[in-house]
Amino acid sequence: MKTLLATAIRTVLFTSTAQAATFVDTREALNPNDFLDWSELVEVPEDLVGPPLPTLPNPFSATSPGGLNLNFNIPAGEFARIDQTPFFPGAFDVGDALLFTGLGNPGPLTITFDTPVFGVGTQVQSDPIEIFDYIATIEAFDSLGNSLGSFERPGVSQINAGGGVIFTGVFDSSGDIKTLVLNAKEEGVDVPFAINALSIRSVPISVPEPSVILGLLVIGMGSIISRLRGLPENN
C-alpha cells in the first residue's frame, strides 16, 4: 500500500503544478484584458464595395491600447483591411474591422509579441470563394521557440454577415506565449483568411493562495488514503 500511496501523492502534486497550453473556443472564456482593433490602424472608406482594398505593409507592427507591441507577417504580398458590411461576402458581424491576408495571399499569419502573454485569440474565416469548409489552426510558441500547443477547429465559410465565425484562441498559464501562428486550410491547402479584433490576455488569471492549494492537496490526498485503506495489503 505504501507504493500505491506514494504514487497517488506524486499524481496529485503533478496534476496541481503541471502547465500546458489549452485551446480556447470563445472570447469570453479567454477573459481578455487587452485587444487590437484593426480600425485603429487603417480606416476603410464608407463607400468601399470592392477592390482595391486599403492595405498594410508586410510585415507591419502595431501597439495595443495596453501598450503591447506586436509584429505581423505573412509569407508574401500585403495585408488588406476590410470592414464587414451587409454586402461583403463574410459571416462576421456587421461593423467588424477585419485584417485580411489579401487576395491570393494564403497564410500562415505569424504574430510576435515583444512581451510574452498568457492568452490570445480571434475569429477566423477563410475566403469563401469556391470551398466553404475549412480548418482554422493555431499554434503558440514560447520565448525559446518551443511549441506550447497546436490546435485545429473546423468551420464553414458563409457569405452572409452575422452568420457566425469560429473563435480560435490559446491560453498558457505560464504566460510565455511569445509567438502565435494562425492559418486556414481548405482540403489541406493554405488559403487566404480574415480575422477580426485580436483579444489578448496579458495578465494572469487569479489563482488560489498557496494555503488554499495546499488545503486542496490535503483533501485530495486524504480521499485517496481513505480509498487505499480499503485495499488489501500486498504480501
Side-chain angles (χ1 to χ4, degrees):
M1 190 174 83
K2 291 182 178 179
T3 301
L4 288 174
L5 178 59
T7 301
I9 293 173
R10 285 196 300 268
T11 301
V12 172
L13 291 174
F14 175 79
T15 302
S16 67
T17 58
Q19 296 179 338
T22 56
F23 181 76
V24 182
D25 62 1
T26 67
R27 207 176 294 269
E28 294 75 18
L30 185 65
N31 196 15
N33 67 297
D34 201 359
F35 67 96
L36 199 58
D37 186 339
W38 310 115
S39 65
E40 299 296 326
L41 304 183
V42 176
E43 291 188 4
V44 176
E46 292 184 4
D47 58 352
L48 182 69
V49 294
L53 301 171
T55 61
L56 283 164
N58 177 32
F60 76 91
S61 299
T63 302
S64 73
L68 283 174
N69 295 317
L70 300 85
N71 304 287
F72 302 83
N73 71 79
I74 50 178
E78 291 183 315
F79 290 92
R81 263 283 291 114
I82 306 169
D83 281 347
Q84 177 70 67
T85 70
F87 313 104
F88 172 74
F92 294 93
D93 291 337
V94 172
D96 274 5
L98 310 177
L99 179 68
F100 183 35
T101 59
L103 295 170
N105 296 337
L109 163 60
T110 301
I111 305 171
T112 305
F113 299 87
D114 282 0
T115 302
V117 299
F118 287 83
V120 60
T122 184
Q123 289 172 267
V124 180
Q125 180 179 4
S126 69
D127 190 3
I129 297 179
E130 297 179 357
I131 302 172
F132 293 96
D133 294 334
Y134 69 101
I135 300 292
T137 68
I138 185 169
E139 185 169 11
F141 296 86
D142 66 16
S143 301
L144 298 177
N146 301 309
S147 177
L148 296 170
S150 177
F151 308 93
E152 297 182 348
R153 186 176 187 186
V156 178
S157 193
Q158 303 182 59
I159 61 174
N160 298 316
V165 179
I166 57 174
F167 185 86
T168 306
V170 65
F171 176 80
D172 175 57
S173 58
S174 65
D176 197 20
I177 298 177
K178 176 71 173 178
T179 302
L180 188 78
V181 179
L182 290 166
N183 206 1
K185 295 177 179 288
E186 293 176 354
E187 297 183 344
V189 178
D190 297 345
V191 295
F193 64 93
I195 63 174
N196 61 0
L198 195 69
S199 291
I200 305 165
R201 183 75 191 181
S202 62
V203 296
I205 295 176
S206 298
V207 297
E209 294 294 329
S211 58
V212 176
I213 296 175
L214 179 60
L216 292 174
L217 287 176
V218 170
I219 293 172
M221 286 167 28
S223 176
I224 293 172
I225 292 170
S226 296
R227 294 179 61 184
L228 289 177
R229 282 176 174 171
L231 297 177
E233 292 283 351
N234 290 329
N235 294 327

